[in-house]
C-alpha cells in the first residue's frame, strides 16, 4: 500500500484542504476557543500536563481552590500571590491563531469569537467580535466604589491591590469558581451559535461549562475541532484536527482577501452581536458588564456603517460631479 508511507502527512494536508473548503463556503462562522489558543503565546493552560492545575502553586493551597470566590474573599493575599505569578501575563503577545482570526473577521466570515481565555489577546490582535465568557485580567475594579483599574495598576501594587480613591480591595473582572457567568455573554454566545453555519472549536478540552454545551444549540453538524488532544466531541464533528491551533489557522485563513471573500463581506447580513444591544441593558450584574456589552456592540456598528458610508460617498461624489458637468 503506497498510502502507508506518507499516511499521516497526507491525511493532515487533506484535513487542511477540507477546512479551507469549509471556511470558503461559510458565511457565518463562530469560533469557540480555550486555553490552547493562547499556549503558543507562552500562557500555560489549566488542564494539560504542564498546565496550572498540574504544576506547583507555590503555596499550600491547590490552584483550583485558589481561583474561587470564597477563597478570594477570605484570603485575598494568598489569592493575589498566586494570581500575579500564575494568571497574568502582561507581556504575552498574540500568536498566529489570534492573527488568523482577525483576518477571518475582516474578511466578513467570522462573526463571533467566544473565548474562555482572560488574557485579552484577541482584542490586542485586533478582533472586535469577542465574547469573553470568563472576563479579563485587563479589567479590574474596586469592590467598594467600582473605580476601574488597568492591569499595570494591579501588577505595580505589592500584595493585595487597594483602590486609590476609597481604599477598597480591587479585584479582577474575571469569573471565579462559585461565581456566575455574565448572562448577556452567555446569551450572545448562544445566539451566535444558533445563527452560525460553521463552528470552529479550538484549544479546549471541552470539559468546562458552559462552553461544552454551546454545540448543542447548533442546527447542523458543521463543527470543526482543532485541539492537540481528543475531546468527547471528536466523533460528532465534521472534521477533527489534532494539532496546534495557530499553525492550522494560519494555513487555512488566507493572508489576502480574495475577490470571492470581499463579495461575501459586502453582502453579509447583520453581524452577530447586533442583538447585544437589546440584551445589554437588561443586565443585573453590578460590575463592569456595560464595558463588555459595548465592546461586543461596537463590532457590527463599526463594520456596517463603514461599508455603507463608502458606498454613500461614492454615489454622492459621482452625483455632484455630474451636477457640475450639467452646470457647465
Ligand atoms: Zn474604591
Amino acid at each position: 500500500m503506497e498510502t502507508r508511507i506518507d499516511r499521516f502527512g497526507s491525511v493532515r494536508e487533506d484535513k487542511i484542504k477540507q477546512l479551507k473548503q469549509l471556511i470558503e463556503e461559510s458565511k457565518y462562522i463562530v469560533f469557540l476557543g480555550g486555553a490552547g489558543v493562547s499556549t503558543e503565546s507562552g500562557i500555560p493552560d489549566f488542564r494539560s500536563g504542564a498546565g496550572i492545575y498540574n504544576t506547583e502553586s507555590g503555596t499550600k493551597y491547590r490552584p483550583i481552590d485558589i481561583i474561587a470566590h470564597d477563597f478570594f474573599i477570605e484570603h485575598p493575599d494568598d489569592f493575589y500571590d498566586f494570581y500575579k505569578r500564575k494568571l497574568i501575563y502582561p507581556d504575552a503577545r498574540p500568536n498566529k491563531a489570534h492573527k488568523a482570526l482577525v483576518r477571518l473577521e475582516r474578511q466578513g466570515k467570522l462573526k463571533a469569537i467566544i473565548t474562555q481565555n482572560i488574557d485579552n489577546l484577541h482584542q490586542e490582535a485586533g478582533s472586535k467580535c469577542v465574547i469573553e465568557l470568563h472576563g479579563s485580567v485587563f479589567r479590574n475594579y474596586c469592590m467598594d466604589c467600582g473605580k476601574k483599574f488597568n492591569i499595570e495598576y494591579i501588577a505595580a501594587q505589592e500584595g493585595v491591590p487597594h483602590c486609590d480613591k476609597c481604599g477598597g480591595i480591587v479585584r479582577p473582572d474575571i469569573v471565579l469558581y462559585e461565581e456566575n457567568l455574565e448572562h448577556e455573554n452567555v446569551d450572545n454566545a448562544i445566539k451566535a451559535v444558533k445563527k452560525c453555519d460553521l463552528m470552529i472549536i479550538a484549544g479546549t478540552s471541552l470539559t468546562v461549562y458552559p462552553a461544552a454545551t454551546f454545540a448543542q444549540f447548533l442546527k447542523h453538524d458543521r463543527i470543526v475541532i482543532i485541539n492537540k488532544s481528543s475531546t468527547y466531541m471528536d466523533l460528532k464533528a465534521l472534521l477533527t484536527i489534532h494539532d496546534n491551533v495557530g499553525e492550522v489557522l494560519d494555513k487555512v485563513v488566507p493572508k489576502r482577501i480574495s475577490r470571492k471573500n470581499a463579495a461575501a463581506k459586502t453582502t453579509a447580513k447583520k453581524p452577530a452581536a447586533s442583538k447585544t444591544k437589546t440584551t445589554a441593558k437588561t443586565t443585573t450584574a453590578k460590575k463592569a458588564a456595560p464595558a463588555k456589552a459595548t465592546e461586543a456592540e461596537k463590532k457590527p456598528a463599526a463594520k456596517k456603517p463603514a461599508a455603507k458610508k463608502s458606498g454613500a460617498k461614492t454615489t454622492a461624489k459621482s452625483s455632484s460631479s455630474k451636477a457640475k458637468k450639467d452646470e457647465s
Side-chain angles (χ1 to χ4, degrees):
M1 271 207 238
E2 69 268 34
T3 48
R4 199 183 277 173
I5 304 165
D6 198 21
R7 201 169 50 141
F8 293 106
S10 65
V11 165
R12 181 159 298 171
E13 286 317 304
D14 278 355
K15 287 188 168 187
I16 295 287
K17 247 185 229 167
Q18 285 166 7
L19 180 50
K20 263 188 186 169
Q21 185 64 38
L22 285 171
I23 289 175
E24 184 74 18
E25 63 196 33
S26 300
K27 291 194 172 79
Y28 205 110
I29 301 173
V30 165
F31 180 88
L32 170 64
V37 175
S38 291
T39 46
E40 289 160 68
S41 294
I43 300 177
D45 62 15
F46 288 88
R47 288 174 179 77
S48 77
I52 288 171
Y53 289 162
N54 295 316
T55 51
E56 283 296 307
S57 70
T59 75
K60 58 186 169 177
Y61 307 102
R62 292 186 309 160
I64 199 162
D65 296 329
I66 298 173
I67 320 169
H69 177 83
D70 286 352
F71 187 92
F72 176 76
I73 300 300
E74 285 159 30
H75 310 277
D77 41 352
D78 287 314
F79 173 89
Y80 268 112
D81 170 54
F82 176 79
Y83 177 83
K84 288 181 186 177
R85 283 185 293 111
K86 300 276 189 176
L87 287 185
I88 57 173
Y89 298 86
D91 298 330
R93 291 291 163 259
N95 64 47
K96 283 179 185 172
H98 303 102
K99 289 173 189 168
L101 291 171
V102 173
R103 297 200 297 275
L104 201 57
E105 184 183 346
R106 288 184 182 158
Q107 288 162 16
K109 287 185 174 283
L110 180 64
K111 304 300 185 183
I113 295 173
I114 306 167
T115 182
Q116 297 172 281
N117 299 338
I118 53 176
D119 53 34
N120 196 52
L121 290 181
H122 286 298
Q123 289 92 332
E124 196 188 321
S127 288
K128 307 280 183 221
C129 60
V130 186
I131 299 172
E132 292 174 316
L133 286 180
H134 296 158
S136 170
V137 297
F138 276 64
R139 294 187 301 270
N140 303 273
Y141 63 95
C142 169
M143 293 173 76
D144 290 339
C145 75
K147 184 173 175 185
K148 288 171 187 167
F149 297 92
N150 59 22
I151 193 170
E152 287 78 20
Y153 186 86
I154 305 297
Q157 295 226 358
E158 205 145 300
V160 179
H162 286 272
C163 175
D164 59 5
K165 188 176 153 201
C166 78
I169 290 180
V170 177
R171 69 159 282 177
D173 187 10
I174 59 174
V175 180
L176 301 171
Y177 283 107
E178 300 152 3
E179 293 179 338
N180 293 322
L181 302 188
E182 299 280 350
H183 273 296
E184 76 265 32
N185 277 341
V186 177
D187 276 359
N188 292 335
I190 292 172
K191 273 175 196 154
V193 170
K194 279 182 175 169
K195 276 175 138 182
C196 79
D197 53 11
L198 180 69
M199 185 172 189
I200 302 175
I201 302 176
T204 170
S205 51
L206 280 172
T207 49
V208 185
Y209 172 86
T213 62
F214 283 139
Q216 80 188 30
F217 293 99
L218 286 173
K219 293 170 184 141
H220 48 75
D221 66 345
R222 291 172 59 88
I223 302 172
V224 174
I225 305 228
I226 310 168
N227 199 44
K228 274 188 166 178
S229 54
S230 46
T231 74
Y232 81 94
M233 290 274 297
D234 281 10
L235 291 176
K236 275 193 206 165
L238 208 56
L239 183 64
T240 299
I241 305 177
H242 290 154
D243 207 339
N244 287 334
V245 183
E247 266 165 45
V248 173
L249 289 181
D250 190 53
K251 277 184 198 159
V252 297
V253 184
K255 299 260 177 354
R256 277 185 201 162
I257 188 162
S258 72
R259 227 172 243 189
K260 222 175 185 180
N261 289 337
K265 186 180 180 179
T266 47
T267 55
K269 284 179 266 171
K270 256 188 215 162
S274 54
K275 295 241 167 128
T276 21
K277 272 178 198 157
T278 48
T279 52
K281 277 171 198 150
T282 61
T283 177
T284 50
K286 48 198 179 295
K287 33 180 191 169
K292 266 178 215 164
T294 40
E295 226 166 60
E297 269 178 43
K298 263 185 222 157
K299 161 184 64 166
K303 221 184 254 170
K304 258 188 135 186
K308 263 190 193 157
K309 232 183 244 165
S310 63
K313 220 187 200 171
T314 43
T315 47
K317 227 187 234 166
S318 57
S319 66
S320 74
S321 63
K322 196 182 167 205
K324 257 183 204 164
K325 250 182 218 164
D326 289 348
E327 267 171 28
S328 63

